[in-house]
Amino acid sequence: MLRIAVQSKGRLFEETSTMLAESSIKVDGGKRTLLVKAKNFPVEILYLRDDDIPQVVAAGIADVGIVGENEFEEKGEDAVIIKRLDFSKCRLSLAIPESIDYPGVQWFNGKKIATSYPNILKRFLDKNNIKAEIHEIMGSVEVAPGIGFADGIFDIVSSGSTLVSNKLREVEVVMKSEAIMIANKNLSTEKKEILDELLFRFDSYKNAEGKKYIMMNIPTNQIEAVCKLLPGMKSPTVTELATPGWSSVQSVIAEDSFWEIINQLKALGAEGILVVPIEKMIL
Ligand code: PRP
Ligand code: ZN
């Protein structure tokens, strides 16, 4: 049995749940129950506050955890990053009221900064020889300057809309962050095997993300030109049609590039173009 600590609510919850579901790890309950066993895979999910996940994994209470890199970096717990998960991307930034002119990082000398990430902030300030007062607060950091509690803030920025609605301006990006998977340093062989299987499933799902399977009929004399537009996984599959002079081509493409090449495909005489979703992809 492998125990995975995940965020019970908040910015990572949705994507983490989707990733588990797409890996055919079925958990119900969730949210209200702290610990839930998967029905069809030797995994159990421990739902926690994100702040607690690094420590719980380092201590071996959970074997692995899915957490924001920012939270892992802040806590400095002794666990290993085993995978970057490429979602929940954000940055940790310093921001100040938008009405203030910003001459550079020295502006923060002698200022009060509100944050939930005092350790990361302190390292940044020390590196830049800035002496500022750090006020650690747990939530609603962005309101601190407006109520006169701080001169600036150091917080997560994702879309930036929280800053805008609080009339703040991002002035220094201190670190970039995304969801990561961390693991305890002393996993047993049995747990490592379950983890490998889990990572394989995550990859199969991730590889398919944003990809489509495309099929079309083309005049056989245009095969070469069409194949140049379709990189595919190795190379496109080409089969002859019963109609003389026509072939069918199948390939995998990125959804974005489909819109770029569709007109070129049509110009080459492609007909009956079908684009279908891919659920999993094993490379
Ligand atoms: C963070 C941060 C801001 C918001 C920024 O909070 O504290 O409030 O996200 O996102 P935006 O740039 O897209 O507006 P989060 O939702 O992670 O909750 P938390 O403060 O409780 O960790
Ligand atoms: Zn948090």
Side-chain angles (χ1 to χ4, degrees), residues 7 50-51 71 117:
Q7 201 186 30
D50 62 345
D51 316 50
E71 214 54 70
Y117 300 92

Side-chain angles (χ1 to χ4, degrees), residues 11 26 30 47 62 87 96 120 124 137 157 228 254 264:
R11 62 176 54 240
K26 298 202 170 59
Y47 291 97
F87 66 83
I96 65 171
I120 298 173
F124 175 81
I137 50 180
V157 182
K228 278 205 186 105
Q264 298 173 63

Side-chain angles (χ1 to χ4, degrees), residues 83-256:
K83 195 167 181 56
R84 312 185 69 82
L85 296 171
D86 199 41
F87 66 83
S88 227
K89 295 204 170 158
C90 64
R91 45 200 193 270
L92 273 178
S93 296
L94 281 160
I96 65 171
E98 61 187 13
S99 56
I100 293 176
D101 278 338
Y102 183 68
V105 70
Q106 69 276 14
W107 182 85
F108 286 97
N109 254 319
K111 298 290 197 301
K112 277 189 212 166
I113 309 170
T115 188
S116 308
Y117 300 92
N119 293 322
I120 298 173
L121 176 58
K122 184 168 187 315
R123 279 199 291 276
F124 175 81
L125 295 175
D126 287 351
K127 201 179 79 194
N128 287 281
N129 282 316
I130 306 291
K131 300 244 173 315
E133 223 180 287
I134 300 177
H135 279 259
E136 185 176 356
I137 50 180
M138 282 331 224
S140 308
V141 169
E142 58 272 5
V143 303
I147 58 172
F149 190 73
D151 302 297
I153 66 163
F154 176 61
D155 199 13
I156 291 175
V157 182
S158 175
S159 66
S161 64
T162 302
L163 292 185
V164 170
S165 57
N166 288 281
K167 296 193 164 27
L168 297 168
R169 176 160 66 105
E170 185 176 15
V171 291
E172 303 283 342
V173 177
V174 172
M175 92 171 257
K176 296 218 161 124
S177 175
E178 66 186 289
I180 55 172
M181 190 177 217
I182 57 171
N184 181 271
K185 285 192 161 169
N186 306 300
L187 292 186
S188 67
T189 313
E190 184 220 334
K191 287 180 191 237
K192 277 189 189 143
E193 279 169 14
I194 304 170
L195 179 58
D196 281 346
E197 170 67 23
L198 186 70
L199 290 172
F200 175 76
R201 292 184 181 199
F202 283 178
D203 282 345
S204 310
Y205 160 60
K206 279 282 170 198
N207 290 337
E209 226 180 13
K211 304 265 179 28
K212 298 283 175 195
Y213 198 72
I214 184 169
M215 295 175 268
M216 75 204 82
N217 296 333
I218 55 159
T220 303
N221 61 9
Q222 297 289 18
I223 285 180
E224 217 176 303
V226 167
C227 289
K228 278 205 186 105
L229 293 173
L230 299 169
M233 284 197 287
K234 277 215 180 72
S235 63
T237 308
V238 181
T239 42
E240 248 177 75
L241 293 183
T243 317
W246 280 82
S247 298
S248 157
V249 174
Q250 301 169 25
S251 188
V252 173
I253 57 165
E255 188 167 15
D256 297 344

